[in-house]
Each structure stands twice: as C-alpha cells, then as structure tokens.
Amino acid sequence: MRKRILAFDIARAVTIFLVIVGHSMNGWNHPLLSNLIFAINLPVFFFISGYFYRHKSILQTIKTGFNNLILPYFVIATAIVGLNFLKESLHHQALNWGLLIPYFYGNGASVTTPGNYDIVPHMGAIWFLLMMFLANIIFQLFMRLESPVSQAMGVLIAVLLGIWLANRFSLPWTLQSALEVQIYYLVGYWAHRMNLIKTHHWQRLIIGLSVILLGLTTVFGGKYTLVTGQAAHQGLSILAGIGSSFLLIYLAQALEHLFDPKRLARLVQLGAISMLVLCIHDLDIIFLDQYLVHHFLSHLHGWQQNGAYLSLIVIRVWYTSVLALVVVKISWVRRIFIERDYPLALT
C-alpha cells in the first residue's frame, strides 16, 4: 500500500509539471511537442480518481467536492479578480466587471456559450477544479448502474455527448469535458479491478500500445484542449489520454524502484499537494504570461527564443514548486488546500 500511494503521488507531481510546461509553451512554435504535452498532462488525474474509487452517497460526494475543489477554486478566483481590479485602479482604468462572468462560469479559456455569447476573459488553470467537481458526481451516478456493461454503456454515451457538445459551445464549469473524462475514471477503475498496474506481464503490451497511441495523436491528432473538450481527432486523443495515464504511473513505479525514497521525498510531497501547485501556477500564468509572451518572448527568434522558453519552463517549474512547499506551511493555506475540512467537515 505504501508503494502504491508513493507511485501515484509521483505520477501526480510529474503530471502537474507537465501542466506547467504546456502552459509555458504559449507562443512557442513547436506544435508536435505541444501536442504531446497536452495529450499527457491531465487525464491521469481522473484515471487515479477512478483507480481509488469508493462508493459514496451523492450528498457526501458534493460535500467532499465542496471542500476539496469548490472552496479552493473561489479562493483563487477571488484573488485573481481582486488583483485585476487593483491593477486597473492603480492604472486609473475603469473596472472590468466582465471578469465576474468567467468567475462564475468557470471557463479556463475564451469560449462561446449556448446562444453564441463569447466570454473572452477566463480564470486560467483552475477551471479544472470546477470541472472535476462535476465529473466526480457524474461518475458516482454511473457506478450506481447494476452491471459493468451498463456502466460502460453509460460512460460511452456520456463521452459521445461531451464530444458533441464540445464541438458546438462550452457549458458552465466545462460540463462537456466532465462528460468526456468519464472514460478515464472507468479505465482507472478497471485497472484496479484487473490489477493492471501491479501485474508486470501486462505492462510491456500496455506500454507499447500507449507509445503508439501517443505518437499517432502527436503527429495526426492535433492539440487535445480538455479546457474546452476539443481536439482535431477526439477519439484518438482520448485513447492517447488513456495510454499516457498508464505510462505516467509505470514511470512513477520505475522512479520509485530506481531511487532511494529520501531522494523522492520532495517529488512525493509535491504530488500530494498538486492542487496547491496548480493554484499557485494559475496566479502566475494569469499575471505573468501576458507580459512575457507579448512584450519579450514574441520578439525573439531562433536559438534565442528556444533558449528563452526552455529557461522559462525550468525556472517556472522550480519557483512554483518552491513556493508551494513554502506556503503549505501556513496554517490557513493547509486548512483550505490540504486538510480541506472547512466549512463542511464530514464525520
């Protein structure tokens, strides 16, 4: 049990680093690398949730989700809106009350709503928290179906509905993506039931298929933007997301066996507080990227641009990680983002 939990925390840490890398590539013209990163960097979170699935009442799922996801979202979203208002006040600009629309809509990118209303401002990476809140509830509902076949059929219908919706508009709290990711929950659940993570004779076949799928989606599938639920070839991108989840967990197991646990302690800790890392990263990209990309990086070319982006990625992963490890020691931060027992404590 200790090793299983350790490996999954390592996988979470590697994944959140990939999220930072993917967001740091904004404006960098390396489409194949970008496609690969975005194919990998989110599905494993839902896969792990499915792997550790346990039956809860819907009320308990909502309460847990409020503590774990909704409260942290509104803390960071309030900080983003407040800091934007402060910046506008300091520059003697009129306050942009339109920022309150994405605050409640929960979009992580510029989107078109039903009725063809365009929402340009967004809340950045923390859209993920609201979407996962919905996705957790939906998966609990599917797991109440009587047989594995009916569960699989329900998930398949949800995925197809999510794809259909994603290609038309974006719903509040990225509901279309919450439907799509049900497949990752279910495969993670099956992986646990079938012992696919611990059984070594399956690993070579799964690794081989996963590498092939990732290669195909990188070259032909385009970018899988789960923030809107869209991809050029959605079926291929979803399969690659399943494969990448297995690969990341196998990689985490390999790291666990290769290195002394003490050397992996920080990595494991970052995996355990990956949501806090995401929230800190969101504040960073909201306020830093517009200056870096538009006023500095976009004017560079060739090896200078490549060096600048690589430096940005390394520095951003480093200082986001260090900042997370520092602020997690603050009691109110731990209570909201780690202990997460306020205000709806469960008995």
Side-chain angles (χ1 to χ4, degrees):
M1 178 65 71
R2 182 194 67 81
K3 290 186 176 182
R4 185 191 72 185
I5 293 174
L6 189 65
F8 277 87
D9 279 337
I10 293 171
R12 288 188 185 99
V14 172
T15 304
I16 203 66
F17 292 160
L18 290 173
V19 170
I20 297 173
V21 171
H23 291 159
S24 300
M25 293 178 66
N26 183 29
W28 195 18
N29 187 27
H30 282 273
L32 292 182
L33 180 58
S34 180
N35 291 349
L36 177 63
I37 295 297
F38 278 88
I40 296 173
N41 68 1
L42 283 179
V44 72
F45 283 111
F46 308 103
F47 182 99
I48 291 174
S49 293
Y51 189 91
F52 289 112
Y53 164 81
R54 65 184 180 89
H55 179 83
K56 297 179 184 177
S57 70
I58 298 302
L59 179 59
Q60 187 182 35
T61 303
I62 292 172
K63 287 181 176 180
T64 303
F66 183 90
N67 292 336
N68 293 358
L69 302 166
I70 301 298
L71 181 61
Y73 169 84
F74 280 109
V75 168
I76 299 300
T78 300
I80 290 171
V81 172
L83 288 171
N84 270 303
F85 282 176
L86 177 62
K87 181 177 68 174
E88 290 164 356
S89 297
L90 292 174
H91 288 85
H92 304 289
Q93 298 173 345
L95 298 184
N96 180 14
W97 294 102
L99 288 171
L100 294 179
I101 298 174
Y103 178 87
F104 293 105
Y105 206 81
N107 54 298
S110 299
V111 296
T112 300
T113 70
N116 292 320
Y117 179 79
D118 293 328
I119 304 177
V120 176
H122 56 82
M123 288 293 106
I126 55 171
W127 68 273
F128 176 84
L129 303 179
L130 297 182
M131 188 270 276
M132 196 169 193
F133 172 78
L134 295 179
N136 287 342
I137 297 171
I138 294 169
F139 189 65
Q140 283 286 345
L141 291 172
F142 281 132
M143 295 306 289
R144 280 160 172 71
L145 298 175
E146 294 183 359
S147 69
V149 173
S150 59
Q151 291 167 0
M153 289 300 297
V155 166
L156 178 61
I157 292 170
V159 171
L160 294 175
L161 177 60
I163 291 172
W164 183 83
L165 290 169
N167 287 295
R168 282 154 181 82
F169 40 70
S170 182
L171 293 169
W173 294 19
T174 326
L175 175 58
Q176 70 279 2
S177 295
L179 293 170
E180 287 185 30
V181 300
Q182 295 305 308
I183 188 66
Y184 303 129
Y185 284 92
L186 187 63
V187 173
Y189 174 74
W190 284 345
H192 194 177
R193 294 289 298 271
M194 298 170 67
N195 207 25
L196 296 181
I197 301 300
K198 296 181 181 179
T199 306
H200 294 289
H201 68 268
W202 277 100
Q203 289 187 7
R204 290 184 181 179
L205 175 61
I206 294 174
I207 288 172
L209 290 173
S210 300
V211 169
I212 292 170
L213 286 168
L214 279 173
L216 289 173
T217 195
T218 297
V219 177
F220 302 110
K223 185 181 291 186
Y224 183 25
T225 53
L226 196 54
V227 66
T228 58
Q230 297 175 338
H233 299 281
Q234 255 159 318
L236 181 60
S237 296
I238 288 172
L239 289 174
I242 294 171
S244 69
S245 299
F246 279 107
L247 285 177
L248 284 169
I249 294 168
Y250 291 151
L251 171 64
Q253 289 178 324
L255 291 173
E256 182 185 0
H257 290 298
L258 286 172
F259 295 98
D260 184 274
K262 292 181 180 179
R263 293 190 176 186
L264 296 172
R266 291 300 185 194
L267 192 63
V268 171
Q269 186 179 1
L270 287 167
I273 62 171
S274 57
M275 189 187 69
L276 177 59
V277 178
L278 177 72
C279 291
I280 292 173
H281 170 60
D282 191 52
L283 289 169
D284 175 27
I285 60 174
I286 286 289
F287 293 103
L288 185 60
D289 273 15
Q290 59 180 314
Y291 297 104
L292 278 174
V293 175
H294 297 299
H295 299 292
F296 178 61
L297 295 177
S298 61
H299 300 293
L300 301 177
H301 302 282
W303 66 267
Q304 290 182 326
Q305 187 185 68
N306 292 337
Y309 270 100
L310 288 172
S311 299
L312 170 64
I313 289 169
V314 172
I315 293 170
R316 176 171 269 168
V317 169
W318 177 78
Y319 72 65
T320 304
S321 301
V322 170
L323 190 56
L325 292 172
V326 170
V327 301
V328 76
K329 300 179 184 296
I330 302 172
S331 59
W332 67 266
V333 173
R334 286 193 60 83
R335 187 172 188 186
I336 293 174
F337 292 95
I338 308 303
E339 297 166 359
R340 295 178 287 193
D341 61 352
Y342 174 85
L344 297 179
L346 298 175
T347 57

